[in-house]
Amino acid sequence: GAVVSQHPSWVICKSGTSVKIECRSLDFQATTMFWYRQFPKQSLMLMATSNEGSKATYEQGVEKDKFLINHASLTLSTLTVTSAHPEDSSFYICSASVYNEQFFGPGTRLTVL
Amino acid sequence: QKEVEQNSGPLSVPEGAIASLNCTYSDRGSQSFFWYRQYSGKSPELIMSIYSNGDKEDGRFTAQLNKASQYVSLLIRDSQPSDSATYLCAVSIFGNEKLTFGTGTRLTIIP
C-alpha cells in the first residue's frame, strides 16, 4: 500500500501555543488529503478535507480559524492547531487517497498542558 | 439513524476459529466499502476494499458485500491473537473520496 508519514509523532505544548503537524505522501502524489481527530475509545472524526492548491473544506462544527490547513504541494499537507487548549488534546491522523483507497499516517498525539 | 453501523463488541473468538464482523449502511448511493484494522494507540490500516456484490478474498480475510441488503461483512479465518484489534467499516459514495466510518468492533482472539 501507499505510505503516508506524519511529523511529529507526539507533541506536548503549553496552553495558548500553536502546533503544526505535517502529513506527507511518500511514494505517490495526493491531490486530496484528510485530517481526522480521535478521542480515546471513540471512532475517527473527520475534521477537514485538504485539497492541493485550494482552501480546505471543513466539517460542520470544526473551527477553520483554529485548525488551519495548508496543502502546499501534492505530497504535503499541514494542520496547525492555533492557541491550543487542553480540550484540543487528542490523536490527530491524516490520510491520503490514491486509486480510491485512503491510507493513513501513523498519527500525532497532541497533549496540551 | 447512524449512517454506518457496527456492533461495538467486544467480540471474543477462540484462536483458530472464524471471526465474523458485520456492518450495515444507510446510504444506497454508497459505492465503495472498506475494512480497516486499528490496534490500540495506532492509526487505522487498510486491510480490504470491496466494490461489487459478492465475496472478495485476500489471504485469511474475506469481505462480503450485499448492496440490496446494505450490509458488508469481514470474515477472518484461522484467527490469530495478532488479529485482536478494533475493526472499522467505512463507506464512500460515488464521486466522493470522503469516508464515513462506523464506530468499530473490538475483536479479541482468545489463545
Side-chain angles (χ1 to χ4, degrees):
Chain A
V3 181
V4 178
S5 71
Q6 270 185 255
H7 178 80
S9 55
W10 60 270
V11 58
I12 301 173
C13 69
K14 293 183 179 179
S15 185
T17 60
S18 294
V19 175
K20 180 186 281 189
I21 302 170
E22 291 187 350
C23 177
R24 295 182 184 272
S25 55
L26 296 186
D27 52 359
F28 64 100
Q29 293 184 328
T31 56
T32 304
M33 291 185 174
F34 302 88
W35 286 96
Y36 295 83
R37 181 167 54 179
Q38 187 175 37
F39 292 106
K41 298 191 186 303
Q42 295 187 24
S43 190
L44 296 167
M45 186 194 83
L46 179 65
M47 299 175 66
T49 302
S50 171
N51 302 294
E52 188 268 336
S54 64
K55 291 184 179 181
T57 303
Y58 291 82
E59 295 299 301
Q60 193 172 8
V62 178
E63 300 175 59
K64 62 180 180 181
D65 293 330
K66 180 170 185 62
F67 299 99
L68 301 179
I69 291 171
N70 184 280
H71 197 148
S73 75
L74 289 172
T75 59
L76 173 64
S77 176
T78 61
L79 168 69
T80 300
V81 183
T82 62
S83 187
H85 291 285
E87 58 265 30
D88 298 323
S89 298
S90 188
F91 191 40
Y92 292 85
I93 317 171
C94 72
S95 71
S97 273
V98 61
Y99 303 122
N100 199 44
E101 295 181 340
Q102 268 191 44
F103 296 91
F104 284 84
T108 297
R109 195 161 301 280
L110 171 64
T111 301
V112 185
L113 302 177
Chain B
Q1 181 186 6
K2 292 182 181 178
E3 294 182 44
V4 179
E5 292 202 47
Q6 295 181 254
N7 188 322
S8 61
L11 175 65
S12 296
V13 173
E15 183 176 357
I18 296 175
S20 178
L21 304 163
N22 299 310
C23 171
T24 59
Y25 59 95
S26 60
D27 191 336
R28 285 197 173 273
S30 300
Q31 291 286 330
S32 304
F33 306 86
F34 308 90
W35 283 99
Y36 286 85
R37 177 176 63 197
Q38 186 174 25
Y39 292 114
S40 181
K42 303 294 185 182
S43 66
E45 172 191 9
L46 179 64
I47 53 174
M48 289 288 285
S49 59
I50 186 167
Y51 307 100
S52 305
N53 279 329
D55 295 359
K56 179 182 178 183
E57 186 175 319
D58 184 0
R60 296 186 296 111
F61 299 98
T62 299
Q64 299 174 317
L65 174 61
N66 184 321
K67 290 186 178 181
S69 300
Q70 295 177 248
Y71 83 78
V72 57
S73 62
L74 180 70
L75 301 178
I76 306 174
R77 289 182 299 282
D78 188 23
S79 296
Q80 302 296 310
S82 59
D83 296 325
S84 297
T86 295
Y87 288 80
L88 300 168
C89 172
V91 306
S92 66
I93 62 174
F94 180 75
N96 192 334
E97 294 177 292
K98 193 165 72 171
L99 292 178
T100 301
F101 282 88
T103 53
T105 298
R106 187 154 57 93
L107 174 66
T108 300
I109 305 302
I110 304 169

